[in-house]
Amino acid sequence: LNLGINVSHQLLLSGRLQPLLEGQPARRLLIELTEHAAFDDYASLREALAPLRERGIRLAADDVGAGFSSLRHVVELSPDRMKLDRMFTSGIENDPARRAMAEALIVFARRTGIGLVAEGIETERELEVMRRLGVPMGQGFLIQRPAEPRSVPRVAEHIRPVVAPITPDADRVFARYSARVGRSLRRPGVRPVTGGPVPEPERVRH
């Protein structure tokens, strides 16, 4: 599994992020740069990102299209992934303007080799349109609602039927993963996963 971390440019420039990520599996980490305010010091931002990206940590521009800064992030920082803001997804099946804008960004992503994610997919029609346009990845309530870490084994079971037809070793991979999660949940102070709805979020202690 990969982990996306929402990060502001203030945190990146502070120098506090890199020590927090030391010793973590770099190639499974994705920094999602989320910032709608105007920002100009891209030279400093590239310098702050350089040691992280050299380690293999990937960069995503979040909420692309929601504001001027998100589009400039794509041009100035050459991210590995760009996430289309839900503004484009919501009602795209009935809105030619939204569809045209989304298509333009999809073409841009293909030509530049940037991975693409459509955010805010909430209906089957939205998912169908995004698939037809060639968007390879998506997120939203239709695919999976936000969940607590201890519910991840159930999330894995939820997506297994989708993954199995295209990944021959899916059953073996999921079995190994579930066993690893099970061992971690047996650590002192970690409650096991039970059936039923996803519990309410708990306060995280740092």
Side-chain angles (χ1 to χ4, degrees):
L1 292 179
N2 297 309
L3 176 65
I5 306 169
N6 287 77
V7 172
S8 68
H9 72 260
Q10 290 97 332
L11 177 58
L12 279 169
L13 294 175
S14 72
R16 299 197 306 267
L17 181 63
Q18 188 171 351
L20 291 174
L21 301 181
E22 287 295 334
Q24 303 304 320
R27 297 195 178 278
R28 293 190 177 188
L29 296 176
L30 177 72
I31 292 174
E32 299 188 7
L33 189 57
T34 305
E35 197 64 60
H36 296 168
F39 178 75
D40 292 317
D41 192 4
Y42 281 94
S44 296
L45 202 54
R46 284 190 290 268
E47 185 177 347
L49 284 165
L52 299 171
R53 301 187 80 175
E54 285 170 4
R55 284 182 52 207
I57 296 175
R58 291 165 298 148
L59 175 68
D62 201 9
D63 300 330
V64 170
F68 173 76
S69 288
S70 63
L71 290 173
R72 192 170 176 191
H73 288 345
V74 174
V75 175
E76 296 279 359
L77 301 175
S78 300
D80 304 283
R81 186 174 295 177
M82 51 190 262
K83 303 180 74 175
L84 289 182
D85 187 76
R86 68 185 310 276
M87 173 187 71
F88 297 111
T89 307
S90 182
I92 191 172
E93 71 274 19
N94 298 315
D95 192 328
R98 278 184 167 81
R99 181 170 180 144
M101 285 292 294
E103 286 176 337
L105 289 169
I106 291 166
V107 170
F108 173 84
R110 285 178 185 155
R111 291 184 178 178
T112 55
I114 297 175
L116 193 64
V117 182
E119 297 182 301
I121 297 175
E122 297 186 356
T123 70
E124 293 286 352
R125 287 288 290 128
E126 290 168 356
L127 177 62
E128 179 186 341
V129 171
M130 286 300 181
R131 278 177 167 164
R132 198 161 60 239
L133 292 177
V135 177
M137 293 177 283
Q139 69 179 60
F141 281 8
L142 178 68
I143 298 169
Q144 176 61 44
R145 287 179 175 268
E148 283 293 285
R150 63 176 176 267
S151 70
V152 169
R154 274 178 295 162
V155 174
E157 291 301 317
H158 173 73
I159 65 174
R160 188 205 297 228
V162 179
V163 176
I166 57 176
T167 308
D169 293 333
D171 286 337
R172 180 175 57 81
V173 171
F174 275 116
R176 188 172 66 240
Y177 167 73
S178 294
R180 190 163 65 246
V181 171
R183 286 194 296 273
S184 72
L185 290 171
R186 285 193 291 272
R187 292 200 308 270
V190 180
R191 292 192 298 172
V193 178
T194 58
V198 175
E200 289 297 315
E202 297 177 341
R203 187 177 300 278
V204 177
R205 293 188 178 91
H206 294 281

